[in-house]
Amino acid sequence: MCQTALHPFLEALPKCEHHMHIEGSLEPELLFELAAKNGIALPAPSAGEGGDPAYASIDALRKRYEAFTGLDDFLGYYYIAMSALVDAADFERLGLAYFRKAAAQNVRHAEVFFDPQAHSVRGVKLSTVVEGIQAARERAERELGITSVLIMCVLRHLPPAEGVALFEEARDAGYFSGMLGGIGLDSSEKPFPPALWTELYGAAKAAGVRRTAHAGEEGPAQYIVDSLDMLDAQRIDHGLRSVLAGDERVTEALLERLVEQKIMLTLCPLSNVRLRCLESVRDFPLRKLLDRGVRFSINSDDPAYFGGYILENYCALQDAFGLSVREWESIAKGAVMGSWCSDRRKAEIFMEIEAVAGEWSVGLGDQ
Ligand code: HPA
Ligand code: ZN
């Protein structure tokens, strides 16, 4: 909760989320429960070979999540935790737990990533994962009024040919005609440049499938440029390096292009701090994004690992930057416009935002 008068407004504000890895919402409580149910051995809580004291208890694991040294350190824990997910009911439970939290924070539309290759290496089929998450999405829409899009991510630390094979499997199963709404690219960023993924993205484009890609999280701004040029990515996940001071020759032209082509950055401030891409939320380039007119949304990335869901990210920014109701209204509307939902759904959420912002700008004197 932020310490400002705007907190109840931020809670009430209708939100769209576009950068959330469903496996990254696996809270330690559910992780230990599912591991016990499925007979999955987590690392022994001893300091010796193969052991890790972080697995001694839920509290110890949470504490360890506060001390990531970078993306790869986090990913080690992320992949171990998801080994507890085995059957479709596990994925449905995971999805529902996320959608319920999101609904409580007034998320109205969520675009959710999943990592099928991290499951297929353990013998869990693509169909098991997709069907489990689909069941959760249907319940979320029916019971919570949240619409969603499911985005299949390819792991960039695995051979590109395996990513292409996964895409073809999903395409040939007909998943892109309803259950899946796009592809993405995640996992370790360096040293896996966008150029490795031209075949995958070319196949997706040829099949009329939407494309996003993680870029410029730990990697250079040039990876963002290359994701646009070589992969024809339609939005960029993180893209933080396009707005941070660095190589201005790249970032100035890139920023102009992002603005002109209305390419959305899906940004994740608490993730950036936990993974040490930023020293503190105060270093998040929020003012520059607003001043330059970049389209962006604020997201939770891996909420079970990074200290909060979408509202905690909004609150952290409010504590650091003290925005007005009208500035938040414009951020929330920008997120709607960058969403991969129908125009009709966008119009509905737009009206909900206007109603909430109208009400609160009167109550708070547009502070
Ligand atoms: N970056 C890259 N890959 C990921 C992340 C992230 O923040 N979260 C889950 N997979
Ligand atoms: Zn991510």
Side-chain angles (χ1 to χ4, degrees):
M1 173 166 172
C2 59
Q3 305 303 315
T4 75
L6 259 66
H7 183 78
F9 160 70
L10 291 179
E11 265 186 316
L13 187 62
K15 300 170 189 73
C16 295
E17 176 150 60
H18 311 104
H19 187 155
M20 209 291 297
H21 303 260
I22 198 71
E23 297 93 341
S25 69
L26 180 53
E27 296 284 349
E29 288 81 356
L30 186 57
L31 156 62
F32 281 108
E33 186 191 325
L34 291 179
K37 175 194 112 177
N38 292 323
I40 302 294
L42 296 172
S46 55
E49 177 73 26
D52 185 341
Y55 292 95
S57 67
I58 289 169
D59 285 347
L61 195 55
R62 279 200 193 287
K63 205 87 210 124
R64 179 63 181 84
Y65 290 175
E66 289 171 18
F68 294 128
T69 54
L71 176 58
D72 285 344
D73 183 34
F74 150 70
L75 287 170
Y77 285 90
Y78 174 75
Y79 292 126
I80 288 173
M82 66 173 84
S83 69
L85 297 161
V86 174
D87 58 31
D90 297 341
F91 286 94
E92 181 176 353
R93 240 184 111 186
L94 176 71
L96 262 184
Y98 163 70
F99 284 120
R100 287 191 176 126
K101 288 214 178 71
Q105 299 190 341
N106 277 311
V107 171
R108 309 295 296 125
H109 175 75
E111 305 194 354
V112 172
F113 298 131
F114 74 117
D115 284 327
Q117 289 162 297
H119 308 303
S120 59
V121 288
R122 307 179 286 108
V124 177
K125 291 192 295 199
L126 177 64
S127 56
T128 303
V129 186
V130 171
E131 283 160 24
I133 301 174
Q134 175 72 15
R137 291 179 56 214
E138 286 172 12
R139 280 190 65 181
E141 183 154 2
R142 210 168 48 238
E143 296 171 16
L144 306 167
I146 298 188
T147 50
S148 62
V149 170
L150 184 58
I151 300 171
M152 184 177 84
C153 282
V154 167
L155 300 179
R156 59 203 307 161
H157 68 272
L158 295 180
E162 291 181 18
V164 174
L166 169 67
F167 173 76
E168 288 171 351
E169 181 187 349
R171 181 196 60 198
D172 297 347
Y175 288 156
F176 289 108
S177 322
M179 295 216 254
L180 298 184
I183 63 156
L185 193 57
D186 64 358
S187 185
S188 309
E189 188 173 5
K190 290 188 292 188
F192 305 105
L196 293 169
W197 306 96
T198 51
E199 187 183 348
L200 171 70
Y201 277 71
K205 188 175 181 188
V209 170
R210 286 186 163 123
R211 304 162 305 282
T212 185
H214 281 54
E217 180 184 16
E218 285 190 341
Q222 188 61 43
Y223 277 19
I224 303 170
V225 177
D226 292 346
S227 300
L228 298 173
D229 286 344
M230 297 181 181
L231 307 183
D232 209 356
Q234 294 159 298
R235 68 189 189 207
I236 297 291
D237 301 312
H238 293 299
L240 184 68
R241 305 264 163 196
S242 61
V243 222
L244 294 183
D247 184 351
E248 261 73 27
R249 271 172 316 132
V250 178
T251 54
E252 262 313 303
L254 175 56
L255 267 184
E256 278 169 29
R257 179 176 182 183
L258 295 175
V259 172
E260 192 190 307
Q261 298 179 2
K262 297 190 173 64
I263 294 164
M264 186 164 73
L265 303 180
T266 68
L267 292 155
C268 311
L270 290 179
S271 161
N272 296 152
V273 174
R274 282 277 171 112
L275 299 187
R276 305 193 184 209
C277 303
L278 295 175
E279 220 172 281
S280 100
V281 174
R282 281 186 299 279
D283 300 318
F284 186 81
L286 186 62
R287 286 283 173 209
K288 187 165 176 188
L289 288 159
L290 291 170
D291 292 347
R292 297 294 297 263
V294 178
R295 180 168 289 176
F296 66 96
S297 62
I298 299 299
N299 306 276
S300 63
D301 205 3
D302 299 282
Y305 294 83
F306 299 150
Y309 287 73
I310 192 168
L311 177 61
E312 285 74 29
N313 278 270
Y314 278 44
C315 285
L317 292 179
Q318 183 60 13
D319 275 335
F321 297 102
L323 300 189
S324 67
V325 168
R326 291 301 177 196
E327 283 171 319
W328 277 112
E329 178 183 9
S330 118
I331 292 172
K333 286 180 167 176
V336 175
M337 288 189 282
S339 293
W340 289 345
C341 58
S342 67
D343 287 345
R344 190 164 149 209
R345 182 68 182 136
K346 286 183 189 177
E348 280 171 11
I349 305 174
F350 235 81
M351 276 166 48
E352 293 178 15
I353 292 171
E354 281 178 354
V356 171
E359 185 189 325
W360 285 89
S361 65
V362 174
L364 291 166
D366 192 16
Q367 10 191 332

